[in-house]
Amino acid sequence: MEKQTLSYRSVTENPCKMCMPMGGILAFKGVERSMVLLHGSQGCSTYMRRHIAEHFNEPIDVGSSSLNEKGTIYGGEKNLRQGLDNLIKVYNPSLIGVLTTCLAETIGEDIDRVASAYLQERGQEEFPIVTVSSPGYGGSEFEGYWMTLTRIVTKLAQKVEKHNKVNIIVPFISPADIRELKRILQLMKIEYTLLPDFSDTLDQPFARPYKRIPDGGTKLRDIARMSGAPGTIQLGVCVAEGISPGKYLEDTFGVPLYNLPIPMGIENTDRLVNVLQEFSGRATPKSLLQERGRLLDAMIDSHKYNFQGRSVIFGEPELVYAVTKTCLENGVFPVVVSSGSKNAKLPELLKAQLEQVPQQMHFLNGGDFAGILAKSEGANIAIGSSEGKYLSEKAGMPLVRIGFPIHDRVGGQRLLSVGYTGTAMFLDRITNTLLEHKLANYRHNVYEKFYPGTKTVTEG
Amino acid sequence: MSAKLAIEAREGSIRVKGKQKSQLQCDADSIAGAVSQRACVYSGARVVLNPITDAIHLVHGPIGCASYTWDIRGSLSSGSELFRNSFSTDLQEEDVIFGGEKKLARCIDELALKYKPSLMFVYSTCVVGVIGDDITAVCKQAEQKHQIKVVPVQSSGFAGNKSAGYRAACDALLQLIKSEGEPTAQSRKINYLGDFNLAGEAWIIRNYLREMGVELNATFTGDSSYASLRRAPAACLNIMQCAGSMTYLAQEMERVYNIPYMRVSFLGIEDTSRSLREIAAALNDKEISEKTERLIERETAEIRSLIEGYRVPLQGKKAAVFVGGGFKAVSLIKQFREVGMEVVMIGTQTGKQDDYDSMYSLACDGTVILDDANPSELERFILQQGADLLVGGVKERPLAYKLGISFIDHNHERKHPLSGFAGAVNFAQEVYSTLCSPVWNYV
Ligand code: SF4
């Protein structure tokens, strides 16, 4: 493995990450009847809503305290209070998340104080307002997401009797992925609390009448009781301890933490299934073993095609790790692995894996697309969000879409990639993309290379 | 309106034609927590300047602002594709504490060396406005160092709304076209303001004008370049479509360069024909007028039967409209009538009172007119008014679909032109495709 060799560059050219409050919104979307208020200028919330709506094809209502010049000079308390008032009037939520943006943070807003004063004056101290300090310059959507989950758990979890519901804390995977995890949990007969559960809220069935706050999300009551769980399975091996909700539950309530990677690929899925088996105390059900067998079968069927693939993998660190692992298992060896935001854990995690790569591999920790492109020679498939279309355009690399945002195709919310079955589907998308590319070009390529005589005739 | 709104302060921004006066509250700050659909100053400025194709657009601020605006618009270019990149100074915590000027200067240096552009825009965002980076000074130094034009855009997100961003963009444009040498001699050519060449719309209009015998000088800013914009003072007339963003520029160009301006709209057959005629009349040239009539006759003859064909199934359907600016909204009322439909709800993010007056006088009785609406109001009035279709942007689309009604994309992301006669056909076709899709039989 080769470390980042680019000489230091200040400017970001075509970013591969977003800002913190974006991750915060997404995390809150998985909590029952919650609404979010971004404390800052109007634009941040509108841009993020637009981005999320485009991916999920769902209405995304997020409030803003719409700070203007006055608020910026004299403080935004009045706007924040009015924002809370109006959100409650129109939406009647059960929880409000207040996320700061760059502006509120730079002018030094104390959202904790305002929120508690607001509730006290109304005699509503019980109403949960979860505050998160999430300036855009403080980190990417990845840190925003995990920090928000930690804040939610910190706010809601209370000391309770031990019970048998296992905590499952998930990173930002697709709604279809969450539904698949739930199916596996059901198959293994495990009671659970899954946080955040945006499988319905960000992928609502069509139904009348329209509901402003969609049904679904993790129940507040269940979050409050996560402290009494027999254990936490957190799919977050790249998450720093300070923003790890699983770590918080372990330190504060003694709930044992099992930190696992996203179950993509055979090894990572085995790891999850093994831990689940520990909790259930039962043998893995036959149908799940069948699924595993089918995945193996698919891997064998496609292995020669896949071995032709040389990949560029980019996106959020957690997903990048899982995709890289899956690619390594199948011989789609990476040429570039790039985490959009700088991550402290990913280098170590990858190092252990990448010894097996037979060719040179570049790892960019916090790379932008200009950096990725510069290192991608020899790659023939890109794997990540729609932003990778830049690589397709510049280098003709076909793109397998996964992650967020997917804005130039439909169905980002329905992409299934976890578990044995999901891995097989993900792998098929890779293999088929390689095949499509090959079949579209081989006649021409072979003709160009071997057909006798043409060159001299046409060139003469 | 029957029942009261949940947010009382919003009452003043909503009117019912026939029941209330046309005067409504608009052009004001959004209300906190009202879930406004508006964007920020930076967004407004970027919309206007983005189509300048050979410029580097550098966003001075944290990463989000640049990330969410990377290549999201459908402006087409006949030349450089440089504008489709997203450049950012990606400010970090320490930059916010110690100031971002040095980093900005380094970023400009790197981009100037790598891309050798002749023009660079530096946009300020929220943070920059607060920490007080002097981007004007940094830009000036960079200009001297690299011998290129580096234009600061004062677009801090909190200093107003999208309209303030339009103004900031116009200021930047005025800086660009400021003639430094000899005053340019005026020609018979005209400038076209307020078309961003979405899906090639400015090209369609350029072709019409050419056929009329009118040459376009500069386009603000669809498919424009630094060189083409600098020629702007040489025009004898400015025609302006998107008045919301361009009025200030037109007024300033009239004041400084003596170029008169007139409003046009190329949405729908009626407005396209009228606008072309008015341009011909303004140029006061018999030959041009004759050619214009021939063009209109040929084009309308070609598409009349097509549009008539769509009219039959669309007759009597009701439309709701919520778009960015005023000119689109006003034209859409007429354009829907061309396909046999009535608008029953109409609003904009940043319309002005005169836009609302026009909407009011055109709309039929009972139409709900609203400024800076939010999702809950859109939902309420779409249902109350019995709309079959909504016109809007990316954020509004899923709401329409969840309400089980049709939708027309009238935003900057679209990939097919809606301008001119060709656009009128596209529009009718899109309305037909969304209203008459078989999927509605199942919901
Ligand atoms: S980077 Fe900051 S100002 Fe920009 S969108 Fe994100 S929170 Fe808003």
Side-chain angles (χ1 to χ4, degrees):
Chain A
M1 177 168 94
E2 194 205 317
K3 272 276 158 75
Q4 191 160 353
T5 50
L6 270 187
S7 60
Y8 183 73
R9 175 157 57 88
S10 294
V11 72
T12 296
E13 299 182 42
N14 301 327
C16 184
K17 61 176 176 181
M18 291 157 276
C19 63
M20 253 186 165
M22 171 64 102
I25 296 174
L26 297 171
F28 277 118
K29 280 285 160 197
V31 175
E32 175 192 33
R33 292 201 58 77
S34 66
M35 278 301 288
V36 176
L37 186 72
L38 288 197
H39 190 30
S41 69
Q42 177 62 46
C44 310
S45 92
T46 301
Y47 271 137
M48 290 175 220
R49 289 174 59 204
R50 194 194 148 282
H51 235 61
I52 305 171
E54 207 168 33
H55 177 102
F56 290 99
N57 264 302
E58 296 288 334
I60 305 294
D61 292 5
V62 174
S64 164
S65 62
S66 308
L67 274 191
N68 52 21
E69 250 163 329
K70 249 205 220 132
T72 304
I73 297 167
Y74 302 111
E77 176 160 355
K78 195 167 143 254
N79 284 57
L80 181 50
R81 283 165 174 269
Q82 191 188 16
L84 291 169
D85 267 347
N86 285 334
L87 272 193
I88 292 170
K89 272 189 214 156
V90 176
Y91 292 90
N92 187 28
S94 306
L95 176 148
I96 295 181
V98 176
L99 295 159
T100 56
T101 65
C102 293
L103 182 57
E105 217 45 59
T106 321
I107 62 174
E109 291 286 285
D110 186 349
I111 48 172
D112 270 330
R113 184 190 57 75
V114 178
S116 49
Y118 175 88
L119 292 174
Q120 210 164 27
E121 282 159 32
R122 277 161 189 70
Q124 286 182 317
E125 284 95 337
E126 293 306 299
F127 185 88
I129 294 182
V130 179
T131 56
V132 189
S133 158
S134 51
Y137 52 76
S140 74
E141 79 285 3
F142 179 73
E143 290 81 36
Y145 179 90
W146 286 99
M147 182 190 281
T148 299
L149 288 183
T150 306
R151 295 285 296 167
I152 293 170
V153 172
T154 307
K155 177 87 192 176
L156 298 182
Q158 277 154 16
K159 187 121 195 72
V160 292
E161 292 281 286
K162 289 264 172 252
H163 55 78
N164 65 345
K165 280 184 163 184
V166 181
N167 299 326
I168 313 284
I169 303 181
V170 299
F172 194 57
I173 48 181
S174 81
D177 286 335
I178 294 186
R179 288 194 286 269
E180 178 69 0
L181 287 177
K182 290 196 204 170
R183 187 185 66 90
I184 295 171
L185 289 160
Q186 225 165 25
L187 268 179
M188 302 199 59
K189 301 206 164 42
I190 287 184
E191 303 261 338
Y192 61 87
T193 301
L194 187 143
L195 178 77
D197 184 357
F198 44 81
S199 60
D200 290 327
T201 53
L202 289 179
D203 193 7
Q204 299 169 63
F206 180 82
R208 287 193 170 102
Y210 172 69
K211 289 185 178 157
R212 283 179 197 165
I213 298 187
D215 289 341
T218 316
K219 297 208 160 30
L220 301 185
R221 185 170 15 100
D222 289 343
I223 303 175
R225 293 168 49 78
M226 285 173 89
S227 46
T232 300
I233 298 176
Q234 176 170 285
L235 307 178
V237 288
C238 294
V239 181
E241 302 210 327
I243 54 171
S244 159
K247 183 82 172 68
Y248 169 81
L249 287 167
E250 182 167 58
D251 290 350
T252 317
F253 300 102
V255 183
L257 172 63
Y258 299 77
N259 222 349
L260 300 178
I262 299 174
M264 285 178 71
I266 200 112
E267 272 186 43
N268 285 352
T269 308
D270 282 349
R271 286 179 68 182
L272 175 67
V273 171
N274 289 341
V275 174
L276 291 178
Q277 219 175 340
E278 266 179 52
F279 280 111
S280 79
R282 294 191 194 92
T284 307
K286 177 142 182 270
S287 65
L288 202 56
L289 292 175
Q290 295 271 62
E291 288 180 37
R292 187 178 192 277
R294 268 188 212 104
L295 170 58
L296 281 174
D297 202 50
M299 289 166 69
I300 295 166
D301 290 347
S302 303
H303 76 276
K304 281 200 285 176
Y305 307 125
N306 288 338
F307 206 86
Q308 305 291 314
R310 289 296 174 269
S311 53
V312 169
I313 300 164
F314 59 88
E316 283 190 6
E318 201 64 45
L319 187 64
V320 159
Y321 178 65
V323 170
T324 304
K325 195 86 175 59
T326 311
C327 282
L328 287 173
E329 286 178 355
N330 290 281
V332 191
F333 293 115
V335 175
V336 183
V337 173
S338 179
S339 156
S341 57
K342 264 204 190 69
N343 187 277
K345 303 213 164 175
L346 194 56
E348 273 308 301
L349 285 164
L350 282 176
K351 207 168 156 202
Q353 301 296 331
L354 291 171
E355 254 109 59
Q356 25 169 334
V357 179
Q359 94 247 334
Q360 200 190 39
M361 213 265 344
H362 307 279
F363 170 59
L364 308 180
N365 203 356
D368 59 11
F369 280 100
I372 294 172
L373 183 67
K375 294 290 174 196
S376 65
E377 205 185 316
N380 58 4
I381 188 165
I383 306 171
S385 76
S386 280
E387 310 290 26
K389 72 184 183 345
Y390 174 80
L391 303 171
S392 310
E393 239 182 73
K394 296 277 172 190
M397 232 183 284
L399 172 66
V400 173
R401 287 165 179 77
I402 187 171
F404 175 84
I406 295 175
H407 50 61
D408 58 351
R409 295 287 188 275
V410 295
Q413 68 274 50
R414 293 183 287 272
L415 282 179
L416 177 56
S417 321
V418 304
Y420 300 123
T421 300
T423 300
M425 292 172 78
F426 173 60
L427 205 55
D428 284 349
R429 297 200 291 272
I430 293 179
T431 314
N432 286 334
T433 305
L434 289 168
L435 280 173
E436 187 184 342
H437 208 62
K438 171 142 195 175
L439 297 181
N441 298 308
Y442 83 99
R443 288 173 197 276
H444 175 80
N445 291 346
V446 173
Y447 178 89
E448 282 292 305
K449 201 163 177 189
F450 297 117
Y451 187 72
T454 43
K455 284 275 159 58
T456 42
V457 175
T458 44
E459 275 168 17
Chain B
M1 282 178 295
S2 36
K4 282 262 174 246
L5 290 171
I7 304 174
E8 249 173 74
R10 290 278 313 141
E11 302 271 351
S13 298
I14 301 173
R15 288 291 173 264
V16 180
K17 159 93 186 248
K19 291 205 185 124
Q20 292 154 301
K21 292 246 159 55
S22 72
Q23 194 78 28
L24 55 58
Q25 192 186 328
C26 59
D27 210 5
D29 283 339
S30 298
I31 296 171
V35 192
S36 163
Q37 308 286 88
R38 282 178 181 166
C40 59
V41 187
Y42 158 67
S43 140
R46 183 70 190 252
V47 169
V48 172
L49 298 175
N50 189 60
I52 303 173
T53 59
D54 58 352
I56 292 256
H57 298 266
L58 171 60
V59 185
H60 184 35
I63 201 66
C65 314
S67 203
Y68 307 132
T69 48
W70 179 20
D71 198 21
I72 56 172
R73 302 179 190 283
S75 301
L76 301 189
S77 167
S78 59
S80 176
E81 297 279 332
L82 195 51
F83 73 116
R84 291 182 51 212
N85 290 290
S86 177
F87 300 110
S88 166
T89 52
D90 189 7
L91 292 184
Q92 305 291 314
E93 193 116 35
E94 61 272 16
D95 303 316
V96 174
I97 298 168
F98 300 112
E101 290 177 13
K102 288 216 177 77
K103 191 171 192 188
L104 173 60
R106 278 202 307 276
C107 290
I108 296 176
D109 288 349
E110 289 169 8
L111 291 169
L113 286 176
K114 179 168 174 187
Y115 294 96
K116 313 217 163 10
S118 52
L119 172 63
M120 202 183 295
F121 290 107
V122 175
Y123 298 83
S124 67
T125 59
C126 292
V127 180
V128 172
V130 179
I131 62 178
D133 278 2
D134 186 351
I135 66 165
T136 309
V138 177
C139 289
K140 206 171 238 133
Q141 273 169 16
E143 272 192 346
Q144 277 156 7
K145 186 166 173 188
H146 301 288
Q147 294 300 310
I148 59 171
K149 191 85 183 158
V150 184
V151 184
V153 186
Q154 304 294 351
S155 50
S156 265
F158 56 86
N161 59 29
K162 210 170 168 183
S163 300
Y166 295 152
R167 171 75 185 252
C170 289
D171 278 328
L173 287 167
L174 285 164
Q175 265 195 58
L176 266 193
I177 59 179
K178 203 161 52 191
S179 40
E180 274 130 25
E182 293 284 295
T184 352
Q186 285 213 339
S187 66
R188 294 283 294 154
K189 294 180 176 177
I190 69 173
N191 293 328
Y192 181 18
L193 277 57
D195 186 321
F196 306 108
N197 201 34
L198 307 171
E201 288 179 341
W203 295 339
I204 293 176
I205 305 309
R206 175 185 286 264
N207 286 336
Y208 292 159
L209 293 171
R210 184 168 288 163
E211 192 179 332
M212 288 156 53
V214 180
E215 276 305 309
L216 260 192
N217 180 44
T219 306
F220 289 86
T221 53
D223 189 24
S224 64
S225 64
Y226 182 36
S228 76
L229 292 177
R230 282 175 57 97
R231 288 197 297 269
C236 67
L237 174 69
N238 280 339
I239 59 170
M240 170 176 74
Q241 180 162 248
C242 178
S245 63
M246 287 287 156
T247 304
Y248 174 67
L249 181 69
Q251 285 169 345
E252 281 302 290
M253 284 174 78
E254 179 159 47
R255 193 176 64 80
V256 181
Y257 304 105
N258 251 325
I259 308 175
Y261 71 92
M262 56 184 280
R263 287 179 78 152
V264 294
S265 165
F266 297 107
L267 293 178
I269 304 172
E270 183 185 332
D271 277 357
T272 303
S273 307
R274 183 185 50 77
S275 297
L276 294 176
R277 285 195 177 106
E278 285 176 4
I279 294 167
L283 293 171
N284 198 14
D285 179 318
K286 208 165 146 247
E287 205 188 321
I288 292 179
S289 286
E290 281 167 15
K291 285 182 177 164
T292 304
E293 288 309 322
R294 278 205 295 278
L295 166 87
I296 293 172
E297 202 181 299
R298 187 196 64 230
E299 291 284 331
T300 45
E302 253 173 43
I303 65 172
R304 192 169 295 126
S305 63
L306 271 173
I307 303 259
E308 284 300 317
Y310 290 121
R311 252 185 103 99
V312 180
L314 302 183
Q315 193 73 42
K317 301 267 190 199
K318 295 182 204 155
V321 174
F322 191 72
V323 288
F327 100 88
K328 267 198 245 177
V330 172
S331 283
L332 277 165
I333 299 181
K334 300 181 234 175
Q335 207 177 353
F336 271 114
R337 284 195 184 130
E338 289 171 7
V339 296
M341 294 174 60
E342 274 304 331
V343 167
V344 291
M345 182 205 96
I346 190 157
T348 74
Q349 290 171 19
T350 54
K352 304 275 190 320
Q353 185 59 47
D354 60 335
D355 297 316
Y356 287 112
D357 289 339
S358 310
M359 284 176 231
Y360 191 92
S361 67
L362 277 169
C364 55
D365 271 359
T367 300
V368 173
I369 301 173
L370 66 190
D371 177 70
D372 190 19
N374 55 52
S376 62
E377 290 161 8
L378 293 177
E379 172 205 336
R380 170 172 165 181
F381 292 114
I382 284 172
L383 295 176
Q384 187 178 303
Q385 297 289 93
D388 302 295
L389 168 149
L390 174 69
V391 183
V394 176
K395 291 185 305 297
E396 291 84 23
R397 188 199 301 143
L399 176 64
Y401 289 167
K402 280 286 184 293
L403 292 173
I405 67 166
S406 299
F407 186 77
I408 295 285
D409 285 283
H410 217 308
N411 52 35
H412 281 220
E413 286 93 38
R414 63 176 187 267
K415 311 285 183 283
H416 58 277
L418 293 175
S419 273
F421 301 104
V425 176
N426 283 343
F427 176 77
Q429 198 166 31
E430 193 182 343
V431 174
Y432 173 71
S433 71
T434 180
L435 274 172
C436 299
S437 163
V439 300
W440 303 121
N441 297 334
Y442 303 93
V443 301

